[in-house]
């Protein structure tokens, strides 16, 4: 859920897609009753994982950024849940869009919840989708539900439990898309970045299902290379999406990994990434093999958390 760099990415769905209504007849673009308004100003409150802050977005009158201990986690626009404001969320939005034909309901397991931005996106763009979210910080979930409430009719169930524990209990072959976006503070926890964890995700996927992961890394990209090798040890099809500057180790940032048992939509994903308002590159096949050369998959016995962001990266 940690977001690095610019955060004015815009929509991930196409402008030609209508904004659907939920099952109650309320348009998802309408502000939810009881939602926090900018007139109320910022909010800071301790939660289980640290200090949560909600900061109003100066460009969008019903949008809020969630920070945890100063690290940006999520951006939610209550007037437009299809708006994805962070780079990494937009790239995950592309994968959501490509998970099935436009508008078709899917079953999604979100490991890591934050402000539920991606769950809102799925609900807005794919009505009647069934979604489960694992978010260990129950106080954060209570804060988000109170201040940034979900629309009526959205089938989103949030479980206050460790993501791996939820994944272990997920029935085999029942999920179209697993999205792993797990951070303890500003780092990916070791127990959610292993081959054993990835195998559990693969087991949960229905035929044709896909797995997507958000991580952060920089400099030599040792963690990212190991994570790519970890997914390649479990899935025959893997790709990586990131800013070229991050891939060259020039800056610390987000990297998105996607995996499946069947071929990924690399060409269409590449077109969508190329059309974004910021630089992005898709690595697949030989390019990804070169990226992971010499890297060893992480296991429960050997895994370490992702590196902490450099000082001042969120300023």
């Amino acid at each position: 859920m940690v977001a690095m760099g610019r955060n004015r990415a815009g929509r991930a769905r196409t402008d030609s897609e209508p904004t659907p209504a939920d099952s109650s007849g309320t348009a998802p673009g309408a502000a939810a009753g009881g939602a926090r308004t900018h007139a109320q100003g910022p909010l800071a409150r301790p939660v289980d994982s640290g200090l949560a802050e909600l900061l109003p977005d100066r460009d969008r009158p019903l949008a809020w950024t969630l920070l945890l201990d100063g690290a940006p986690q999520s951006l939610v626009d209550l007037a437009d849940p299809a708006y994805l404001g962070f780079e990494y969320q937009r790239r995950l939005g592309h994968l959501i869009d490509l998970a099935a034909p436009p508008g078709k309901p899917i079953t999604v397991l979100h490991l890591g919840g934050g402000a539920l931005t991606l769950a809102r996106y799925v609900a807005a763009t794919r009505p009647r989708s069934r979604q489960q979210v694992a978010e260990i910080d129950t106080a954060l979930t209570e804060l988000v539900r109170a201040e940034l409430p979900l629309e009526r009719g959205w089938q989103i169930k949030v479980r206050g439990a460790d993501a791996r524990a939820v994944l272990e209990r997920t029935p085999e072959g029942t999920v179209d898309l697993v999205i792993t976006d797990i951070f303890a503070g500003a780092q990916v926890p070791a127990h959610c970045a292993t081959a054993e964890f990835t195998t559990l995700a693969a087991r949960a996927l229905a035929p044709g299902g896909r797995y997507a992961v958000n991580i952060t890394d920089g400099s030599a990209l040792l963690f990212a290379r190991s994570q790519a090798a970890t997914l390649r040890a479990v899935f025959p099809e893997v790709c990586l999406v990131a800013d070229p500057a991050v891939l060259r180790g020039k800056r610390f940032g987000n990297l998105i990994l996607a995996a499946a048992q069947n071929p990924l939509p690399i060409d269409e994903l590449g077109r969508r990434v190329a059309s974004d308002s910021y630089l992005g590159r898709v690595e697949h096949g030989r390019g990804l093999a070169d990226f992971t050369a010499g890297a060893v998959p992480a296991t429960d016995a050997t895994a370490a958390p992702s590196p902490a962001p450099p000082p001042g990266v969120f300023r």
Side-chain angles (χ1 to χ4, degrees), residues 18 67 135 157 315:
L67 284 74
E135 174 53 65
K157 179 182 291 186
R315 293 178 184 172

Side-chain angles (χ1 to χ4, degrees), residues 165 190-191 247 290:
H191 75 292
L247 289 174
D290 290 344

Side-chain angles (χ1 to χ4, degrees), residues 95-260:
L95 293 169
I96 292 168
D97 291 345
L98 295 171
K104 181 181 178 180
I106 58 176
T107 301
V108 186
L109 174 60
H110 301 264
L111 302 175
L116 306 177
T117 303
L118 292 170
R120 298 169 197 265
Y121 181 82
V122 172
T125 60
R126 297 184 176 278
R128 300 179 305 282
S129 291
R130 292 183 296 114
Q131 301 186 77
Q132 183 176 181
V133 181
E135 174 53 65
I136 197 170
D137 192 331
T138 55
L140 175 61
T141 299
E142 291 172 3
L143 172 65
V144 168
R145 285 190 177 277
E147 302 294 340
L148 309 175
L150 300 171
E151 294 292 337
R152 298 188 305 276
W154 284 352
Q155 298 181 56
I156 300 173
K157 179 182 291 186
V158 183
R159 295 189 179 276
D162 178 80
R164 181 154 176 172
V166 171
L167 188 57
E168 289 171 345
R169 294 195 299 269
T170 301
E172 182 176 355
T174 57
V175 181
D176 298 312
L177 181 63
V178 176
I179 299 176
T180 295
D181 188 14
I182 307 168
F183 285 82
Q187 295 176 266
V188 178
H191 75 292
C192 295
T194 69
E196 291 87 346
F197 181 93
T198 304
T199 299
L200 290 171
R203 183 181 67 90
L205 291 176
R210 293 172 186 161
Y211 182 47
V213 188
N214 175 41
I215 62 172
T216 56
D217 202 359
S219 188
L221 298 172
L222 297 179
F223 182 78
R225 296 178 196 277
S226 174
Q227 287 303 289
T230 300
L231 265 64
R232 294 183 76 215
V234 176
F235 290 96
E237 293 290 327
V238 180
C239 73
L240 180 152
V241 187
D243 186 314
V246 174
L247 289 174
R248 292 194 301 268
K250 299 297 184 183
R251 74 173 180 89
F252 195 92
N254 295 85
L255 303 97
I256 302 298
L257 288 158

